[in-house]
Amino acid sequence: MSDSRSSRIPYTIGLIAIAGLAAVWLFTRVLPGPSRASKIIIKAANADATQSYIADVNTETWYRNKLVKVTSKVYHLPKGERTEYYRGHLAGVVVVDDESHTYTWKTGSSSVETTETPTLSRQQRPALLLRNYSPSLHGQDYVGGRLCHIIELTPKKRGPFKRLWIDKSTYIALRIEDLDAMGRLTSSSAFSNVKYVGSLPASLLRPPTKAKARSEPSNLSSLSKRLGFRARTPRYVPAGYVLLGCRLNKCACECGHESAQLVYTNGVDTISVFQAARPQNCGMSGKCGLHNMNPGGVCLAGGDNRIGVAVARRGTKSVVVVGALGMNELMRIARSTP
Amino acid sequence: MNCDKIRQSLADYAVDNLRGTSAQEIREHLLTCADCAAELRALNAAVGLVEDVGLREPPVGLWNGLYNRITERSQAQESKLPWFRLGLRLRIAAAVAAAAVVLVAALLSQVKAPSPASFANAAAAEYLEGHAMSSRNTLFADRFSLASVAALAEEEQRTNE
């Protein structure tokens, strides 16, 4: 009896091992895992932190129902990027992005402006994107002489789309198309003459002089003290959007007008919720120049038909919401801000 | 077979349209009947004349002329129709036109006048610019287009001061 039991042990172990291998195979092959498109997106999300390249970029943007074209030369380093615009309405403008700020100046000018640009960590960004968007692969095509995957990012809930052409070798996005929730193209940027280089000088990311801050990172408490009213977060924010940060936003016309800006993102799209005191200096003093005031104090301050601007009067302040989700959604956010 | 029946078939026999026993019967009759044979000779002569003349194209306008004469007759007949049939086409046309007017009116009523939301506004431009600048660091952001929007918005603000 004991002999027969001991002779069965190797068979039992073998069967368990086979069952275990089969389970692993089942888990990795049959059960849903990250799609190929998702894997490409994850690689592309971190590609720009390891590459240096120079390229020309042709950009088309719909603004106020007009198509605006600009051309630029981009110098990309792992730590940041310098863009020199040489054609279009931005000709002569230089923009430098590092990981937390954007510096803008005109060639030959000594005035440099800086804007704080909030961001998530490198790990958080693709995770949030994949939580809210479904990437799908749509074949391949050449951009700037480089063979690219074509990936479409479709929102899981209604919202703007994005199409990306991602270099198959380097995973750099060489063409980006933004489409609104209705599927209309809002902007497109395509690289040409792409040259990947070993390194570029860090001096490219240095602005020529000390920059004047157009916005500063802040928090709700500091903003409330500075602006003289209580800056609050909206009660309603569309599903999938997280608060990226708070900033003090200053008007470009240097009238002294300031507003609190809360920036929300879902990984791809952003919404800005501005709060400013009434009356204000930049035409928002209760009369925004429009004739169609809805009851309840919500008026539509317009904007491009793709990026909307919705305004609500909330006690002693005005709430302005900017985004590409459609006016109904923006108004809902504005009205929900206490 | 008697001569009446033979003569009814003579035209077909003359152009070789008859086969088999029908043709045989006529051949045998023609051998014994001089009248029917003469009739056949006349038919053959007529066919021969047609073949001698050959094909001719009809004069231009022949068919149009025919068509016009036919339609004149039918219009003349219509003019004699009772009033409730005379205006049928006109009434159908009027009904279609009225329906088209109603449809167009319904469609136009759905088209709203351009909302004030579409007018440029310096304050909106200020916030557009702030929004564009803060969106630059989003993953796969089109920072080139965002710079364009920010600059256009700033220009709009300065212009509308």
Side-chain angles (χ1 to χ4, degrees):
Chain A
M1 204 62 160
S2 61
D3 284 339
S4 63
R5 274 191 192 162
S6 61
S7 67
R8 276 190 221 140
I9 290 170
Y11 291 113
T12 309
I13 292 171
L15 282 172
I16 292 170
I18 290 168
L21 285 170
V24 168
W25 179 85
L26 188 77
F27 181 77
T28 57
R29 297 293 168 124
V30 176
L31 295 176
S35 65
R36 190 160 166 234
S38 298
K39 289 178 190 167
I40 294 170
I41 286 294
I42 292 168
K43 282 187 178 170
N46 295 307
D48 59 353
T50 58
Q51 304 274 347
S52 296
Y53 58 82
I54 304 171
D56 290 304
V57 187
N58 289 297
T59 301
E60 294 183 351
T61 308
W62 282 97
Y63 186 83
R64 303 282 189 208
N65 293 320
K66 287 182 191 162
L67 187 63
V68 178
K69 297 184 186 182
V70 294
T71 310
S72 56
K73 193 157 205 84
V74 63
Y75 302 85
H76 182 89
L77 295 76
K79 294 275 186 202
E81 185 173 273
R82 179 188 178 101
T83 309
E84 293 174 355
Y85 292 84
Y86 60 85
R87 202 177 292 147
H89 71 99
L90 281 173
V93 171
V94 181
V95 179
V96 164
D97 290 286
D98 61 26
E99 288 180 346
S100 59
H101 287 81
T102 299
Y103 302 89
T104 312
W105 68 92
K106 201 147 169 119
T107 313
S109 163
S110 58
S111 171
V112 179
E113 290 185 344
T114 180
T115 310
E116 185 262 348
T117 45
T119 186
L120 296 170
S121 70
R122 289 212 169 266
Q123 290 76 32
Q124 286 174 311
R125 293 200 292 182
L128 186 62
L129 185 156
L130 291 173
R131 200 190 309 161
N132 294 304
Y133 284 80
S134 301
S136 52
L137 203 48
H138 291 264
Q140 50 195 37
D141 197 4
Y142 283 91
V143 176
R146 308 280 306 181
L147 188 58
C148 298
H149 296 292
I150 303 173
I151 304 253
E152 189 161 296
L153 297 176
T154 306
K156 290 182 181 172
K157 293 192 168 37
R158 192 173 178 272
F161 292 72
K162 200 174 272 277
R163 256 187 233 126
L164 302 167
W165 281 252
I166 294 176
D167 190 319
K168 280 186 96 168
S169 307
T170 62
Y171 293 92
I172 296 290
L174 298 183
R175 182 171 168 172
I176 302 165
E177 282 184 357
D178 282 319
L179 301 97
D180 65 7
M182 308 277 286
R184 297 173 296 186
L185 190 68
T186 61
S187 69
S188 158
S189 284
F191 285 30
S192 59
N193 306 320
V194 183
K195 290 188 193 87
Y196 291 99
V197 296
S199 65
L200 286 168
S203 57
L204 283 169
L205 301 183
R206 229 171 281 142
T209 59
K210 194 165 179 239
K212 183 172 53 181
R214 283 284 308 283
S215 71
E216 300 161 10
S218 189
N219 55 51
L220 287 175
S221 168
S222 306
L223 289 168
S224 301
K225 281 186 192 145
R226 173 111 177 201
L227 298 171
F229 60 83
R230 204 164 157 212
R232 309 265 308 259
T233 54
R235 290 202 182 102
Y236 169 75
V237 173
Y241 285 80
V242 301
L243 181 63
L244 200 54
C246 304
R247 304 158 69 212
L248 178 70
N249 188 60
K250 296 178 186 176
C251 182
C253 71
E254 297 177 359
C255 60
H257 177 236
E258 295 177 336
S259 56
Q261 181 183 4
L262 277 63
V263 184
Y264 290 84
T265 184
N266 67 355
V268 169
D269 183 49
T270 52
I271 306 169
S272 292
V273 180
F274 295 89
Q275 294 168 58
R278 296 170 56 221
Q280 296 152 31
N281 298 329
C282 267
M284 295 293 287
S285 52
K287 297 185 244 182
C288 51
L290 303 174
H291 305 292
N292 194 17
M293 294 288 291
N294 295 331
V298 177
C299 65
L300 303 178
D304 188 82
N305 59 343
R306 291 165 175 84
I307 298 178
V309 179
V311 180
R313 291 177 181 175
R314 311 299 292 164
T316 58
K317 66 184 180 188
S318 285
V319 178
V320 180
V321 181
V322 184
L325 290 177
M327 293 306 286
N328 288 339
E329 197 73 340
L330 300 179
M331 278 162 54
R332 192 176 168 193
I333 299 168
R335 281 177 168 145
S336 78
T337 308
Chain B
M1 219 185 208
N2 60 27
C3 290
D4 289 331
K5 285 189 182 171
I6 292 290
R7 281 182 190 173
Q8 281 172 13
S9 304
L10 261 184
D12 287 325
Y13 179 81
V15 293
D16 292 327
N17 269 355
L18 294 180
R19 295 279 182 270
T21 54
S22 305
Q24 181 65 27
E25 282 171 4
I26 293 175
R27 261 196 297 278
E28 286 170 2
H29 180 81
L30 288 172
L31 289 171
T32 59
C33 177
D35 290 334
C36 290
E39 183 76 19
L40 179 63
R41 280 196 293 275
L43 275 171
N44 285 335
V47 169
L49 274 175
V50 169
E51 284 172 353
D52 287 344
V53 168
L55 284 175
R56 292 261 177 100
E57 285 296 321
V60 171
L62 171 67
W63 303 118
N64 281 341
L66 280 172
Y67 174 78
N68 290 338
R69 284 202 287 279
I70 291 167
T71 52
E72 274 172 17
R73 280 187 199 162
S74 64
Q75 280 170 6
Q77 282 171 354
E78 276 182 8
S79 67
K80 295 176 188 167
L81 289 171
W83 63 269
F84 55 84
R85 291 190 64 186
L86 173 65
L88 181 64
R89 283 191 188 178
L90 287 173
R91 290 193 295 132
I92 289 172
V96 168
V101 167
V102 168
L103 183 64
V104 168
L107 284 171
L108 283 175
S109 70
Q110 297 298 319
V111 174
K112 293 176 187 167
S115 153
S118 64
F119 297 135
N121 182 291
E126 170 191 353
Y127 298 112
L128 267 176
E129 192 208 355
H131 172 74
M133 293 309 288
S134 62
S135 303
R136 292 180 69 82
N137 264 350
T138 317
L139 194 52
F140 305 123
D142 187 346
R143 58 256 191 227
F144 312 99
S145 173
L146 288 168
S148 200
V149 168
L152 288 164
E154 186 177 340
E155 180 60 35
E156 200 173 343
Q157 255 184 290
R158 294 190 192 278
T159 308
N160 285 307
E161 274 180 334

